[in-house]
Amino acid sequence: MREITYAEALREGLRQAMTADPSVFAIGEDIGVYGGAFGVTAGLLNEFGAERIIDTPISEAGIAGACVGAALTGMRPVGEIQFMDFVTLTMEQIVLQAAKVRFMFGGKASVPMVLRTPSGSGTGAAAQHSESLENWFVHVPGLKVVMPSSAYDAKGLLLAAIDDNNPVIFVEHKLLYKTKGHVPEEMYRVPLSQTNVVREGKHVTVVATSVMVSRAVQAAEELAKEGIELEVIDPRTLKPLDDAPIIESVKKTGRALVVHEAVEMGGFGGEIVARIAGSEAFDYLEAPVRRLAGLDIPIPYNRELEYHTVPQVENIVREARKLARGEY
Amino acid sequence: MFANGQLQPEVIRRYHEVIESLGPEFLKAMLQDMHTIRAFEERAEQLYGLGKVHGTMHLSIGQEATAVGASNALQDGDYLLNHHRGHGHCLAWGSDVNRMMAEFVGKETGYCRGRGGSMHIADVDSNNLGANGIVAGGVPIAVGVGLSIKMRKTQQVCMVIFGDGAANEGAFHESLNMASIWKLPVIYLCENNQYAMSMPVQKAFTIENISTRATAYNIPGVTVDGNDPLAVYLAVQEAAERARRGDGPSLIESKTYRYKGHSKSDRQAYRTRDEVNEWMEQRDPIMRFSALLTTAGVVSEDEANGMRDQAIKIIDDAVAFSDASPAPDVSSLLEGVYA
């Protein structure tokens, strides 16, 4: 089976979408000759030309607005915001325009756009280039929010996001770009709003997103040596959320841990916990539902400080073990 | 233009050519539309007073010439984006006044099924991409519409109408620059009505004309008398021709004046009654255009006088339509969030 990186998978998905549909185009800062800050669009300028791989000035609100306007008039733009931190500069267009025009216009317009952006820490880029802000978008009706955790999902979810007739915030992770995985060459889709059970297990349900999925799998492999079986679940699409597999899993395990990189307070984990607590899984709980997430601080520069700011494999191992052993 | 209340002969000569080329029916329709906009706005205010609408509204009384002059310079298939003071733009665009009124009062038959209201009226089928409640919110969207036109290789243009306040948003600058570097078919029409809510242009700018900002983006910038529909028409027409030729965007500043407050909560402490009266009595766009057309022999005094009555009838019918229309059913509340 062919293995390629997460960044290559994204590029292949974008290339296939642009080849299949002339209304698909990409727009963003340094996506042309430079190939994107993380190389996702490398080479596409030569294949598709400057009319469809559009390098922009440093104008994030303009990029977002360009996507909204093009999407409203028959195109399928794929915008890139170079670092997720910079979505702050696009919020008006995304939150007040892209998300709302369909509803405000009585359902008579659609905004089929994708906004790709890399989130996450671990690169030593400090507080303004390392944030995980996905839950801001989860809070906005009209948006969809996708976070692929593997190369396979990156391609399949990107193609599904481009097909979708709604604005999709497509949150990538910097540490995943160079990770490899099995990716079929054909043009396949991973449907949006389809939660994935990544690894089956019977003792603790671990719901993880983005880079935390592979960390949770590593934790599961370690705990398996102790006879503790984690069931690792990746929602993949945070909004609209397919929560049924999570609830089913917790009914089986009776224990749940939610892991994400974003700051815990007000984070997506709270939503998952509430879904579990408000569901029929409540009656099956044998322990408090726990969260493991980023500390409520900006991401620091120093490597060790940065490392300790967000959940690592050993943190997941420790938390899941305590849950499994009934120590909560 | 006026001396002792009389239209000066040189004005008639200056407009002779454009009046000839547009023809009497076109010009009469423009004047009628100006009356209809004013009647719509007056009725909107009245309905608000009667408690038939809630929320707020932003009336464009006094600014009718800009709306009518601009829309009439474009063609079927062109795009419109505008902002919260947008009733007039929408009517001038040719949208159905009944469905506008129904939207204004929040009925299911309204353009947005009662979900949008005064600030968000859109008529997507006629490429009216809607009014925007965020100052300058539609300005960067125009870049995307322009890109889309360019990529689809059609001859359409996109006109985005915004106020003087929007010209001080960052999005305005990002948008003009992007449209300029990519030579997009966009017409930026800044409707300078002298106040961004309470902030006068004299305090918000150190430049005399907002159109001079075009220089920074190396695009044409002109300032026109926004109370003269033909001046606006000619400027927009020229910008549209340029855009269709592939020569890129233009910035037009249309200087006008709003007679009413910014919105319903405005006590207008920032301006004097004398200032408002001066605009109403000396520079009213309907009075001026009516005088021009009667003096030029395009319409008779009787016809001109009858247009006000016709406008009121149009609005009466629209109110009857909206009164008879059903309110949205609460069971449909969740519809239209996702496609």
Side-chain angles (χ1 to χ4, degrees), chain B residues 70-90:
Chain B
S71 281
N72 278 286
L74 298 185
Q75 301 172 0
D76 284 351
D78 289 338
Y79 290 101
L80 172 70
L81 289 156
N82 64 334
H83 288 82
H84 56 278
R85 199 174 307 285
H87 300 161
H89 309 142
C90 192

Side-chain angles (χ1 to χ4, degrees), chain A residues 249-299:
Chain A
S249 175
V250 177
K251 282 166 70 178
K252 180 174 73 178
T253 62
R255 294 174 170 88
L257 173 66
V258 188
V259 189
H260 58 66
E261 176 166 350
V263 168
E264 182 175 278
M265 175 84 180
F268 187 66
E271 179 65 29
I272 298 287
V273 172
R275 297 273 182 126
I276 294 168
S279 76
E280 63 205 51
F282 180 78
D283 289 337
Y284 296 80
L285 287 175
E286 293 177 33
V289 182
R290 300 287 299 176
R291 285 183 291 171
L292 191 56
L295 300 180
D296 203 357
I297 60 171
I299 302 292

Side-chain angles (χ1 to χ4, degrees), chain A residues 25 51 54-55 57 59 61-62 65-66 69-70 73 75 92-93 96-97 102-106 108 142-143 166 239, chain B residues 79 99 111-113 115-116 120 124 129 132 134 137 140-141 144 148 151-152 174 178 181-182 335-339:
Chain A
F25 70 96
E51 286 237 319
I54 303 174
D55 262 329
S59 302
T73 53
M75 305 299 286
E92 187 271 318
Q93 284 297 316
L96 301 177
Q97 311 296 339
R102 180 177 177 79
F103 185 82
M104 282 192 320
F105 296 173
K108 289 167 190 162
L143 297 180
N166 298 285
K239 182 189 186 78
Chain B
Y79 290 101
R99 297 185 65 195
Y111 269 118
C112 308
R113 301 181 64 203
R115 271 71 168 172
H120 305 300
V124 178
L129 300 178
N132 212 303
I134 305 301
I141 296 175
S148 162
M151 283 189 273
R152 289 186 281 109
E174 293 191 16
M178 291 168 109
I181 60 173
W182 296 325
E335 291 174 9
V337 181
Y338 290 100

